[in-house]
Amino acid sequence: MAALAVTQTAASIPFLIAPKAFLIAGVMTSIVAASISSHATPATPPPGEARREFNLFPLVGGDSDVGIGFGQVSDWAKLGAECQSFCWRLETAAFISFKLRDDNSRLIVPFQDYYLLFSRPSLGPGGRFRLDLRASFTDETTLLYYGIGNAAPEPPPSTPLAAEEYKRIHPTATALGRAALGKDWFVEGGLQYTRNWLTVAPDSLLAQMQAGSSPAAPFLKGNFAAPHGVALIDIGLQYDTRDSEIVTREGMFHTAHLRISPQVGTALPYGYEQLNLTARFFYTPWPRWLTLSWRVVNDVMVGSPPFYELARFEETAAIGGVKGVRGVPAQRYYGKVKLFQNLEARSEIFPFTIGNKPMVLGVALFADAGRLWSELEKRQDDLDGTGWGIKYGLGGGLRLQQGQTFVVRADLAWSPDAHPIGAYFAAGEIF
């Protein structure tokens, strides 16, 4: 469920969503920065001792689409024996990229993302309540649009890159609460508001399809030139037996969410409902050396959502991108119905300590696959095709865990849709 589901894992920022990547550089200077903390603490503190943990990860990276960029992701948390993962946690991230366009004569900023997330579990009587507050600002100037449906073709090679792109600025504020119903069962409720500014060129594929008579036109409603808001009401049910929400090795985490966006004139022009069912399983048959994790996601929209939501779930790309089907380019496929899975095997190969900070270097192999449909209400073979139409990505990557509350990952994925490979660098496990 969009950004409202911030309790699922550490929120992540897609530093390198690389649909045509041929260059990726992650400078892990945090190995030095990781030894910084609010005060010196032993690597293994005495049982029951409260302590604070600080993690900082500077970033430098680049690819052929978003150019070269830099930023940071960090967190500050209070730990204690009375808290399962943490007592409270403040996570921040920032990233900005630069690129030359127009025959290397013009410098543009393709991507900016900044967020602040505060998480406070174990509130109220018996510690049955949890609160997550998140504020973010995202500016994306080279988002891609090829068409609606699982069979949307790529444009001819002669199509100018600018014709495939549109721009979106969207600051967002989210408040989400969770309450325990009983052992392992939880109910959630939240509110979110996003303000949107779109820039769509008149000669772009997006503008042409909206103005034309193609089967995609009914999905492209709204005035792209006018700023608009989207308000969301979120209601959810969770079953959670995970041993840790940051690095999970055992347990299950299943969620059912209903998200409602009311339509209120031109201020909130999009009215729709979204149902998300997600199942997650974690099993460690060989402690430290092998953890298996599996996620299945089914996301369905009805009504009139804004077109950019058709490519996304949980505020990120679904069939493609850093938290969906890796290897497939982000924004490659748009549709109201999405079904996909992620299967991942992780191994912690090298635990070590820098200063007073415990670290773990790990590796992962994964297989992602999924499909989408333009809508639930009727079959549209001209948009979705008639065969299996499975989109998939295969790959592997590195994991670096710092302390108890912080993980960064770097993944490379191959897919028939990739050009030639997908590369991702993010905070937090994929799920």
Side-chain angles (χ1 to χ4, degrees):
M1 286 305 305
L4 294 179
V6 292
T7 60
Q8 291 183 17
T9 183
S12 69
I13 175 173
F15 297 117
L16 295 177
I17 303 177
K20 299 177 182 177
F22 60 79
L23 171 66
I24 177 172
V27 180
M28 296 188 177
T29 52
S30 64
I31 292 180
V32 176
S35 62
I36 302 172
S37 62
S38 57
H39 60 275
T41 57
T44 306
E49 179 182 334
R51 67 194 189 280
R52 286 175 172 79
E53 179 177 279
F54 177 72
N55 300 288
L56 173 66
F57 199 103
L59 299 163
V60 176
D63 66 63
S64 59
D65 288 326
V66 303
I68 301 297
F70 62 89
Q72 68 84 31
V73 60
S74 59
D75 82 332
W76 184 37
K78 179 183 177 182
L79 311 178
E82 73 279 11
C83 310
Q84 181 180 8
S85 295
F86 52 84
C87 302
W88 55 258
R89 183 171 183 264
L90 182 66
E91 178 176 308
T92 69
F95 189 80
I96 184 170
S97 68
F98 304 89
K99 183 177 180 176
L100 290 172
R101 290 281 289 266
D102 301 332
D103 296 325
N104 295 329
S105 62
R106 183 168 62 97
L107 185 67
I108 65 170
V109 179
F111 181 79
Q112 297 183 67
D113 191 80
Y114 313 93
Y115 73 76
L116 181 67
L117 170 64
F118 177 76
S119 299
R120 179 69 166 88
S122 304
L123 288 170
R128 298 171 64 87
F129 299 92
R130 171 179 177 138
L131 178 65
D132 290 277
L133 302 173
R134 191 178 193 271
S136 66
F137 176 86
T138 307
D139 184 353
E140 301 167 285
T141 65
T142 56
L143 292 170
L144 297 174
Y145 175 82
Y146 298 136
I148 300 294
N150 198 70
E154 288 195 32
S158 59
T159 303
L161 180 60
E164 304 172 8
E165 298 175 342
Y166 66 94
K167 304 176 183 180
R168 180 176 176 232
I169 298 174
H170 48 106
T172 300
T174 303
L176 178 67
R178 186 175 89 160
L181 295 177
K183 180 176 173 57
D184 303 326
W185 287 93
F186 304 88
V187 62
E188 279 191 325
L191 298 172
Q192 181 186 90
Y193 178 77
T194 301
R195 188 68 176 170
N196 297 272
W197 289 266
L198 297 176
T199 302
V200 179
D203 59 348
S204 67
L205 297 176
L206 177 56
Q208 292 175 23
M209 287 189 184
Q210 185 192 44
S213 58
S214 74
F219 297 88
L220 305 176
K221 297 178 180 179
N223 180 3
F224 295 159
H228 66 274
V230 176
L232 299 173
I233 303 167
D234 183 272
I235 304 169
L237 182 67
Q238 296 184 351
Y239 177 71
D240 190 354
T241 64
R242 294 173 296 173
D243 57 346
S244 169
E245 69 178 79
I246 307 299
V247 180
T248 309
R249 297 176 177 86
E250 294 283 351
M252 294 180 286
F253 183 38
H254 309 320
T255 58
H257 279 268
L258 174 64
R259 186 168 77 163
I260 301 170
S261 176
Q263 182 178 5
V264 183
T266 57
L268 302 173
Y270 297 100
Y272 66 97
E273 295 77 42
Q274 182 176 14
L275 178 64
N276 181 284
L277 303 174
T278 301
R280 307 168 188 82
F281 303 88
F282 305 88
Y283 176 55
T284 300
W286 193 4
R288 184 184 143 190
W289 293 109
L290 181 61
T291 295
L292 301 174
S293 55
W294 183 39
R295 176 179 68 174
V296 181
V297 179
N298 187 16
D299 193 272
V300 179
M301 294 178 171
V302 294
S304 300
F307 79 91
Y308 48 79
E309 290 295 345
L310 302 182
R312 309 200 305 165
F313 87 112
E314 295 184 3
E315 289 291 278
T316 190
I319 310 299
V322 68
K323 296 196 74 176
V325 179
R326 288 163 288 187
V328 178
Q331 305 103 42
R332 176 62 182 88
Y333 297 101
Y334 289 69
K336 290 185 178 180
V337 181
K338 307 169 188 74
L339 177 65
F340 65 92
Q341 70 85 40
N342 311 94
L343 179 63
E344 189 164 288
R346 298 194 300 265
S347 179
E348 301 174 0
I349 59 174
F350 183 46
F352 61 101
T353 300
I354 293 182
N356 293 318
K357 180 74 65 173
M359 315 276 284
V360 179
L361 179 64
V363 297
L365 296 174
F366 57 83
D368 303 339
R371 193 196 201 279
L372 59 69
W373 293 262
S374 54
E375 61 181 328
L376 182 66
E377 292 87 345
K378 62 180 180 179
R379 177 172 172 174
Q380 299 206 44
D381 292 346
D382 50 349
L383 295 177
D384 299 320
T386 57
W388 285 92
I390 302 299
K391 317 301 179 184
Y392 64 92
L394 306 173
L398 298 175
R399 305 291 184 267
L400 180 64
Q401 179 181 349
Q402 302 181 25
Q404 187 173 317
T405 65
F406 192 71
V407 173
V408 290
R409 60 184 173 95
D411 290 332
L412 294 175
W414 174 86
S415 168
D417 287 288
H419 304 285
I421 197 168
Y424 310 95
F425 200 45
E429 298 287 3
I430 187 172
F431 62 91

